[in-house]
Amino acid sequence: MAISVPRRNKVTGVEYEHPGAFWFGVAAVTVGVIMHLPFYWSARNTTPLPYTLVGKKPDAVMWFGMLLIFVGLAATAYGLFPRLSEVSRGYISKIKVRAMDEARIKPAHVGLLLVMAAAITIDVMKPTTLAFMAPGAAKEYGLKGPLNPTAHALPIALYPLSGISGTVCGSFLWGWLGDKIGRRASILLAAIIFVAVAVCGAMPVFWANLVVCFIMGLGVGGMLPIAFSLMAETIPARHRGWLMVLIGGDVAGAYIITSWIASTIAAPDRYGWRMLWWISLPTGLILMLLNRFIPESPRFLLQHGREEEAKTIMRKYGAVIVEGDDSLLKVERHVQSRFAQLFSRDFVGLSVILLLLGLGIGIVQYGFQQWIPSNLAKLGFKDVTAAKILRDSALIGFPLNFPIAWLYGFWSAKKTILLMCFTTLSALIGFGLASHGSLVHVDAAGVAHQTTLLYVLLIVPIWGISSLTAVVIAYASEVFPTKVRARGSGLAAGATKFGGVMILAIVAAAIAAPSIRATAVYGAIPLILAIVAMIVFGVETKKKQLERITAEELHEDVGPLAPVGPVAMEP
């Protein structure tokens, strides 16, 4: 017998388990963060740069605000978690999920895509800001880094290393949560963490920055794979691929926004590098307020016997509710909801592909992006000029997201990944060859000037890798069954961040940023192996129903493939 939850609304089909606790938690976290602002504001007249907090002691108001934040986080989690007794095990719904894949694109789909685009942009902005924080943090705390290589102190590489390590843990933790408590609840948990970590803008000691960086990473690592899992399970099959890649391509948009903020309001002579932390407060609150437009995944609800909620959402998205014994949900009856399933005989090849792709992406992304601002400043560019160069490079590459999305959705998902891998490898070779010469020239006054080649080459680590990340996460959200889809997406996302951990750990140990040639070699090796694995184990997902993809991987006969097209909507 299907299990239904009586507490639901007309917008999302799913309501909070304890709405009072949820909104109390959001309010407590917000107030707690705001109570840290006076401490930050008190340093507005410090010299030589404003908003320097190192050496200052937190006051009682700040400590009470911290207590409110912890209470608020606990209350928010309590308000979101479903009752365990309402989760069905072994239940197979008779509702045909094909109805969701045949529905036309409706305003509800457009609203979901816009909210997910905002969520992914906000999510990616968090680790991206670490690159722009590094020069200012190193200067304020006297840390060793590219601009201060002789300092007798901890390396600034610990700053991004802490944050990226958190994203690895968050990818796996939220992957587990997404399959256990739902996609929507997991997204909102990540969003409240975004609000809470804004307090790092008022942390006066370096170790506190590292702790908050790690916590920030937990939320960041969890948001991306869950958002893609929700989109994959809600968007009609014939539009799923290209729309996910297009939305995921907004990773470059996050870089544009972050570099603009770093070059304007967060400039050293204005509000300083700490403002890049404070922007987490409004962006996180925006995401929390937009949550009413985030539905729970109908497929997740059907897998857990919550049919009434699933029907409400399916009707909202224009799907005809049809029941019958031939529901394709039965293909997952032997799939176990655990991480080990990802490395079973049927899925291990796909997992290897995603791990190799993720490692290559992470090494290139964090090997280049994390140290570009510092390295440009070392060459002679001032902080603001370096940020503008990165912003312009991201703007140049941003339009290229559209043809990539079209290729993935209408040409071939598998071939698009291979094409982008070969393109990235070619670019890495180009970076290695270009490293023999000078990308910039320095005048007699020691001021560096950008060249056209510098702009062109920077498009690769900023736009190219960001687009490849979107393609890989989209692919991961399609090739795994619903029971482990969030875990599979988390595996891919975690692998991209683990590649970053590897390269940042090398930097922390060597106390030096990796050279362009070294980064290119480190990133090329796993990408070459990934190309081989994709050719051998890769599957095609273009316009296929998710359950049919799973059936092919499990070698189950589910009958002839009917064309995926629009059906009449219910009155």
Side-chain angles (χ1 to χ4, degrees), residues 263-280:
S263 64
T264 53
I265 61 175
D269 57 345
R270 297 194 68 185
Y271 295 100
W273 64 274
R274 294 180 180 274
M275 181 52 65
L276 293 170
W277 278 111
W278 285 114
I279 60 174
S280 293

Side-chain angles (χ1 to χ4, degrees), residues 491-554:
L491 176 71
T496 64
K497 304 304 187 296
F498 186 72
V501 170
M502 290 176 60
I503 197 70
L504 292 172
I506 292 173
V507 175
I511 321 296
S515 66
I516 291 177
R517 182 186 299 179
T519 301
V521 173
Y522 294 154
I525 294 174
L527 286 179
I528 292 173
L529 295 176
I531 290 173
V532 176
M534 175 62 79
I535 294 173
V536 177
F537 302 111
V539 298
E540 183 57 66
T541 64
K542 183 189 68 173
K543 295 185 180 181
K544 290 183 180 179
Q545 188 176 1
L546 296 176
E547 287 71 26
R548 185 167 293 279
I549 296 171
T550 299
E552 292 175 358
E553 293 164 350
L554 296 175

Side-chain angles (χ1 to χ4, degrees), residues 282-463:
T283 54
L285 287 176
I286 289 172
L287 188 54
M288 296 300 296
L289 294 175
L290 289 174
N291 82 83
R292 69 191 304 269
F293 300 105
I294 303 176
E296 184 52 272
S297 162
R299 281 179 165 89
F300 172 84
L301 295 172
L302 292 175
Q303 284 284 2
H304 290 79
R306 295 157 64 176
E307 288 192 353
E308 291 305 314
E309 296 169 87
K311 288 179 180 179
T312 300
I313 297 173
M314 290 173 71
R315 291 190 184 97
K316 176 179 172 60
Y317 284 83
V320 177
I321 309 300
V322 181
E323 297 189 31
D325 293 332
D326 60 342
S327 172
L328 286 182
L329 288 171
K330 64 185 179 182
V331 302
E332 295 192 26
R333 60 186 180 276
H334 299 307
V335 175
Q336 297 180 340
S337 182
R338 59 182 186 177
F339 272 109
Q341 186 69 63
L342 302 179
F343 296 94
S344 64
R345 181 184 61 183
D346 298 306
F347 303 108
V348 65
L350 294 169
S351 296
V352 169
I353 292 172
L354 296 172
L355 284 172
L356 291 171
L357 285 172
L359 286 175
I361 289 170
I363 291 172
V364 175
Q365 181 176 16
Y366 293 99
F368 280 104
Q369 288 186 11
Q370 188 61 51
W371 303 109
I372 283 176
S374 296
N375 287 334
L376 289 180
K378 187 178 180 181
L379 286 173
F381 293 101
K382 294 184 181 296
D383 292 340
V384 173
T385 305
K388 288 181 178 179
I389 291 174
L390 296 174
R391 178 197 63 195
D392 294 343
S393 297
L395 282 170
I396 294 170
F398 187 74
L400 298 175
N401 288 322
F402 295 95
I404 295 300
W406 186 89
L407 289 172
Y408 186 89
F410 296 100
W411 178 48
S412 167
K414 180 178 177 180
K415 292 177 182 178
T416 300
I417 294 176
L418 289 172
L419 175 64
M420 294 196 68
C421 285
F422 279 116
T423 302
T424 303
L425 281 173
S426 300
L428 292 178
I429 294 172
F431 253 114
L433 294 176
S435 65
H436 286 291
S438 176
L439 303 182
V440 299
H441 67 275
V442 181
D443 61 21
V447 178
H449 301 277
Q450 67 270 27
T451 65
T452 302
L453 179 60
L454 179 63
Y455 275 110
V456 172
L457 290 180
L458 286 177
I459 293 174
V460 179
I462 295 175
W463 162 78

Side-chain angles (χ1 to χ4, degrees), residues 42-63:
S42 67
R44 62 189 179 278
N45 295 320
T46 55
T47 56
L49 293 175
Y51 302 102
T52 299
L53 297 177
V54 62
K56 297 191 66 175
K57 293 184 178 181
D59 53 23
V61 174
M62 185 172 168
W63 283 114

Side-chain angles (χ1 to χ4, degrees), residues 1-320:
M1 179 178 179
I3 301 170
S4 63
V5 179
R7 192 187 293 110
R8 63 180 186 275
N9 62 36
K10 295 180 180 179
V11 178
T12 63
V14 179
E15 186 52 275
Y16 313 102
E17 187 60 47
H18 304 284
F22 173 79
W23 288 113
F24 167 78
V26 173
V29 171
T30 303
V31 172
V33 172
I34 292 174
M35 291 178 72
H36 286 67
L37 277 170
F39 184 75
Y40 165 78
W41 184 249
S42 67
R44 62 189 179 278
N45 295 320
T46 55
T47 56
L49 293 175
Y51 302 102
T52 299
L53 297 177
V54 62
K56 297 191 66 175
K57 293 184 178 181
D59 53 23
V61 174
M62 185 172 168
W63 283 114
F64 184 72
M66 186 64 69
L67 177 62
L68 270 181
I69 291 172
F70 283 115
V71 172
L73 289 173
T76 302
Y78 175 73
L80 287 172
F81 273 57
R83 294 189 183 96
L84 295 179
S85 60
E86 292 180 348
V87 178
S88 171
R89 294 186 178 182
Y91 177 80
I92 300 178
S93 173
K94 292 187 177 181
I95 294 178
K96 293 184 178 181
V97 292
R98 184 178 177 83
M100 289 182 286
D101 289 312
E102 294 174 330
R104 296 184 179 94
I105 291 291
K106 294 189 63 181
H109 291 105
V110 176
L112 172 63
L113 291 170
L114 291 176
V115 174
M116 288 297 97
I120 291 172
T121 301
I122 293 170
D123 176 79
V124 177
M125 284 174 63
K126 300 299 179 291
T128 301
T129 57
L130 295 177
F132 296 97
M133 293 176 191
K139 184 179 297 183
E140 179 169 339
Y141 292 113
L143 304 174
K144 184 174 290 187
L147 303 182
N148 193 18
T150 60
H152 297 286
L154 294 172
I156 185 57
L158 291 177
Y159 205 79
L161 179 60
S162 177
I164 305 306
S165 297
T167 63
V168 175
C169 298
S171 295
F172 292 104
L173 177 59
W174 256 258
W176 176 81
L177 282 172
D179 287 329
K180 286 295 183 182
I181 69 173
R183 299 5 176 177
R184 181 173 183 260
S186 300
I187 289 174
L188 294 179
L189 279 178
I192 196 63
I193 287 179
F194 292 170
V195 176
V197 298
V199 298
C200 199
M203 293 293 117
V205 293
F206 183 55
W207 68 263
N209 280 255
L210 297 183
V211 172
V212 179
C213 268
F214 183 83
I215 296 173
M216 176 271 291
L218 291 177
V220 168
M223 173 71 79
L224 191 63
I226 301 302
F228 272 88
S229 295
L230 177 59
M231 288 191 291
E233 295 171 349
T234 309
I235 301 172
R238 66 187 184 281
H239 297 294
R240 183 184 64 234
W242 73 272
L243 283 175
M244 284 198 300
V245 174
L246 188 63
I247 297 300
D250 203 36
V251 169
Y255 209 93
I256 295 170
I257 295 172
T258 304
S259 59
W260 174 78
I261 294 173
S263 64
T264 53
I265 61 175
D269 57 345
R270 297 194 68 185
Y271 295 100
W273 64 274
R274 294 180 180 274
M275 181 52 65
L276 293 170
W277 278 111
W278 285 114
I279 60 174
S280 293
L281 175 59
T283 54
L285 287 176
I286 289 172
L287 188 54
M288 296 300 296
L289 294 175
L290 289 174
N291 82 83
R292 69 191 304 269
F293 300 105
I294 303 176
E296 184 52 272
S297 162
R299 281 179 165 89
F300 172 84
L301 295 172
L302 292 175
Q303 284 284 2
H304 290 79
R306 295 157 64 176
E307 288 192 353
E308 291 305 314
E309 296 169 87
K311 288 179 180 179
T312 300
I313 297 173
M314 290 173 71
R315 291 190 184 97
K316 176 179 172 60
Y317 284 83
V320 177

